[in-house]
Amino acid sequence: MPTTSIHLTKKLEKLVKKLISKEPEGSDALLGNWNATVFYVDRKKCWLITNADTKYNVVLTDIKASDLKRIEHLFKNAFYGQLVYDGIIIDFETINAAIGSLQFLPTNNDRSTLGFQNHSLEALDWWKYQYGGLEGMAIKELTHRLNTSPFHKDGRSGMNNYTHAIKEMKVLLLR
C-alpha cells in the first residue's frame, strides 16, 4: 500500500509527538511529500498542509488532541472537499488510493515549501482579521485563494513560468 509522507515543522512536532515515525515506511504515494505547520485562530489549533510538488494547500481547523487518532480521516476528507471546491472533480476512492496511508515525519527542511507556507500564513493572518474569527472564516474560500496564488514551479523567472496550485494538482491527479 502506498504511503503519503507529511513532514511536520518543529512547532507542530512538539504538539503531536505520538504521531511521528522515525523512519519512512512503505512506498511513496502518487501525491509525494507534504509539509504541515500549525497556526492559531481564536486560540484554536489549525494546520496548514502543503504539497511539496504542487504547492496545493489544505487547512484543517480546530484540531484537538482527541482528533489525532483520526487525523488521517480528517485530512482525506478536507483534501477531497478542497479539491471539489477548487473544481477538481474526482471520486473519493481515487483520492483515497492516491494518498494511501499517512505517515508523519520530522521536518525535512524543504526551504521552498516552508517559505511558501510562511507566505500563505501571512495571507491567512491578514484574512483572519478581516473575517473576525474562525466561525466567520470561509476556510475553503480562503484556501482556494491560497491555491490560486501564482508561483514559479521550476524556479526560473519570467512571466511564462507562472502557475498555480490548482492547475498543478489537476495535472498530478489526472495523469
Side-chain angles (χ1 to χ4, degrees), residues 37-165:
T37 190
V38 65
F39 66 100
Y40 295 88
V41 178
D42 295 336
R43 297 173 46 194
K44 295 177 179 160
K45 293 180 194 99
C46 301
W47 291 18
L48 174 64
I49 306 171
T50 306
N51 183 274
D53 296 330
T54 64
K55 304 299 187 256
Y56 192 83
N57 294 292
V58 177
V59 175
L60 304 178
T61 58
D62 197 14
I63 301 298
K64 300 174 187 75
S66 60
D67 294 328
L68 296 180
K69 60 183 167 260
R70 57 189 191 98
I71 197 72
E72 185 170 322
H73 173 74
L74 292 173
F75 171 72
K76 288 178 180 180
N77 284 333
F79 179 49
Y80 179 72
Q82 191 63 48
L83 287 172
V84 170
Y85 190 89
D86 289 338
I88 303 173
I89 307 300
I90 193 166
D91 64 289
F92 184 80
E93 293 309 315
T94 303
I95 294 302
N96 195 25
I99 293 171
S101 62
L102 294 182
Q103 68 177 339
F104 295 92
L105 299 168
T107 185
N108 61 352
N109 293 319
D110 178 355
R111 291 175 44 190
S112 172
T113 305
L114 294 175
F116 191 82
Q117 280 186 318
N118 287 335
H119 180 74
S120 297
L121 288 174
E122 284 182 29
L124 284 169
D125 205 32
W126 176 265
W127 294 327
K128 179 170 50 175
Y129 292 109
Q130 181 181 357
Y131 286 91
L134 188 59
E135 286 75 31
M137 293 176 79
I139 295 298
K140 288 198 182 343
E141 168 61 27
L142 296 178
T143 308
H144 176 76
R145 289 184 196 177
L146 293 176
N147 288 335
T148 55
S149 297
F151 70 95
H152 289 288
K153 177 152 174 65
D154 56 9
R156 294 187 322 224
S157 61
M159 293 303 289
N160 296 351
N161 294 325
Y162 277 109
T163 188
H164 57 82

